[in-house]
């Protein structure tokens, strides 16, 4: 499900599975974390289409500035498929009053409504549950957010995408989601490359989850080499079919307009690096097209 309606899996093409188009991270990043300019978003996303991208997943969840109607207009203006997120971000961004007055099942029901009916009266429907987030530990409110995500997943079949940054918290996230009955093959553990531990990556893949390397932002040659090492390690371990790649654009300074990498670094710069590292074009197509299609739709 995209913000402009359903799209067949075979028509998703090259997918960026973890990005943000509109975003409000002012609590932590001041002005650089506010992305709300619709015209600028169109300029940046036209570059994605120009670089061969067909689909972008905007995992902007509750509390960080999701903009359903703007997303729909930007998708219409660019022709890009945009999949919208739902559910809740990290504890500091949670709507505390809402969490204090709604049961976990009620929170789940609101996620289901986003997916089946649309957000508010916009008619814009979410196509993924996420990013569902915690930090180094899972707080009590975040645990309810994860349980609500799992229950909404069971009712709708929508995939869950998480934020598991810097700390190897992906296993604890999977524990809660799977305890609720969620299928690990429909769970994407986000920011896995921010945990510099290849055994952790393999252990997530062995549980059947998607291991998402979504900080491919070209900050340094060292970082690029590290990302390639992480990918090759999982491929050697037999998990090519569990890897997702993206850039997690979430700061205005990352836009190409301001000299940043834009949303295209992965496609224009990083793919040639993967080829140089020995990956075949068919393997790269699995990473950019087959895997995200399977991750989003559940098809094999
Ligand atoms: Zn995140």
């Amino acid at each position: 499900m995209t913000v402009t309606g359903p799209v067949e899996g075979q028509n998703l093409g090259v997918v960026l599975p973890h990005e943000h188009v509109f975003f409000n991270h002012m609590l932590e990043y001041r002005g650089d974390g506010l992305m709300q300019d619709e015209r600028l978003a169109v300029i940046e996303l036209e570059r994605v289409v120009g670089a061969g991208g067909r689909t972008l997943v905007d995992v902007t969840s509750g509390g960080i500035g999701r903009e359903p109607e703007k997303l729909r207009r930007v998708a219409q203006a660019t022709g890009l498929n945009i999949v919208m997120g739902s559910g809740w971000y990290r504890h500091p961004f949670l709507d505390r009053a809402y969490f204090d007055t709604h049961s976990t099942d009620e929170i789940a029901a609101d996620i289901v409504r986003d997916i089946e009916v649309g957000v508010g009266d916009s008619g814009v429907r979410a196509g993924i549950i996420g990013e569902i987030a915690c930090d180094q530990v899972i707080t009590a409110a975040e645990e309810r957010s994860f349980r609500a995500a799992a229950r909404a997943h069971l009712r709708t079949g929508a995939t869950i995408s998480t934020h598991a940054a810097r700390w190897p918290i992906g296993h604890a996230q999977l524990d809660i989601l799977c305890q609720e009955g969620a299928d690990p093959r429909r769970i994407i553990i986000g920011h896995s490359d921010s945990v510099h531990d290849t055994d952790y990556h393999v252990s997530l893949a062995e549980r059947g989850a998607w291991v998402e390397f979504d900080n491919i932002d070209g900050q340094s040659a060292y970082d690029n080499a590290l990302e390639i090492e992480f990918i090759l390690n999982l491929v050697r371990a037999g998990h090519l079919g569990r890897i997702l790649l993206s850039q997690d654009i979430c700061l205005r300074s990352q836009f190409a307009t301001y000299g940043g990498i834009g949303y295209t670094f992965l496609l224009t710069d990083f793919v040639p690096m993967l080829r140089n590292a020995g990956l075949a074009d068919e393997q790269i197509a699995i990473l950019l097209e087959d895997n995200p299609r399977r991750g989003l739709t559940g098809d094999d």
Side-chain angles (χ1 to χ4, degrees), residues 18 20 89 131 163 191 248:
H18 190 120
H20 301 275
Y89 194 57
E131 54 184 306
H163 164 108
H191 314 320
D248 193 19

Side-chain angles (χ1 to χ4, degrees), residues 6-284:
V7 172
E8 288 295 325
Q10 66 204 26
N11 295 330
L12 292 174
V14 169
V15 181
L16 299 174
H18 190 120
E19 305 293 340
H20 301 275
V21 177
F22 300 106
F23 201 62
N24 184 351
H25 221 218
M26 291 288 273
L27 202 59
E28 292 174 342
Y29 289 107
R30 308 283 171 164
D32 197 25
L34 184 62
M35 292 154 44
Q36 58 176 14
D37 185 330
E38 199 172 319
R39 196 165 44 174
L40 181 54
V42 169
I43 292 169
E44 293 288 324
L45 295 184
E46 277 173 343
R47 294 167 51 88
V48 177
V49 177
R54 286 286 296 126
T55 302
L56 178 146
V57 183
D58 181 305
V59 288
T60 306
S61 46
I64 48 175
R66 185 177 60 167
E67 295 275 8
E69 289 172 0
K70 280 188 180 182
L71 283 176
R72 179 167 55 195
R73 286 196 295 270
V74 163
Q76 285 165 343
T78 59
L80 192 65
N81 299 318
I82 299 181
V83 177
M84 183 174 72
S86 64
W88 291 90
Y89 194 57
R90 287 190 282 113
H91 196 117
F93 298 87
L94 289 176
D95 181 339
R96 318 279 174 88
Y98 172 79
F99 267 74
D100 284 347
T101 52
H102 290 73
S103 70
T104 304
D105 277 334
E106 286 169 336
I107 296 168
D110 283 342
I111 298 172
V112 171
R113 189 186 183 283
D114 279 1
I115 293 166
E116 293 183 343
V117 180
V119 178
D121 55 10
S122 68
V124 181
R125 294 166 65 180
I128 194 165
I129 303 168
E131 54 184 306
I132 307 301
C134 68
D135 196 20
Q136 188 173 2
V137 297
I138 301 175
T139 70
E142 286 166 347
E143 179 181 337
R144 295 179 57 221
S145 159
F146 274 91
R147 291 192 186 282
R151 293 174 199 179
H153 156 76
L154 290 177
R155 282 175 55 186
T156 61
T159 299
I160 300 169
S161 183
T162 82
H163 164 108
R166 292 175 282 276
W167 316 100
I169 196 77
H171 282 299
Q173 296 180 343
L174 280 171
D175 288 345
I176 293 172
L177 295 169
C178 295
Q179 206 177 63
E180 290 283 337
D183 176 0
R185 305 188 74 79
R186 302 300 300 283
I187 300 169
I188 300 168
I189 302 299
H191 314 320
S192 291
D193 45 350
S194 69
V195 184
H196 296 184
D197 177 349
T198 51
D199 290 341
Y200 169 68
H201 304 154
V202 171
S203 64
L204 291 173
E206 282 174 345
R207 286 182 77 173
W210 291 98
V211 184
E212 189 173 72
F213 298 144
D214 52 31
N215 288 315
I216 300 177
D217 55 8
Q219 283 206 20
S220 70
Y222 176 81
D223 287 335
N224 294 335
L226 204 56
E227 296 285 359
I228 287 167
E229 181 191 321
F230 291 165
I231 294 165
L232 293 183
N233 179 65
L234 272 185
V235 171
R236 278 193 297 265
H239 297 300
L240 172 69
R242 302 306 317 155
I243 305 170
L244 295 172
L245 306 179
S246 211
Q247 303 147 131
D248 193 19
I249 297 299
C250 57
L251 297 172
R252 209 161 38 177
S253 56
Q254 290 174 306
F255 282 168
T257 303
Y258 299 115
I261 60 163
Y263 293 93
T264 57
F265 176 81
L266 174 62
L267 301 179
T268 57
D269 293 64
F270 192 72
V271 162
M273 292 180 204
L274 285 176
R275 223 173 262 134
N276 283 341
L279 281 196
D281 285 344
E282 306 80 67
Q283 291 175 303
I284 292 170

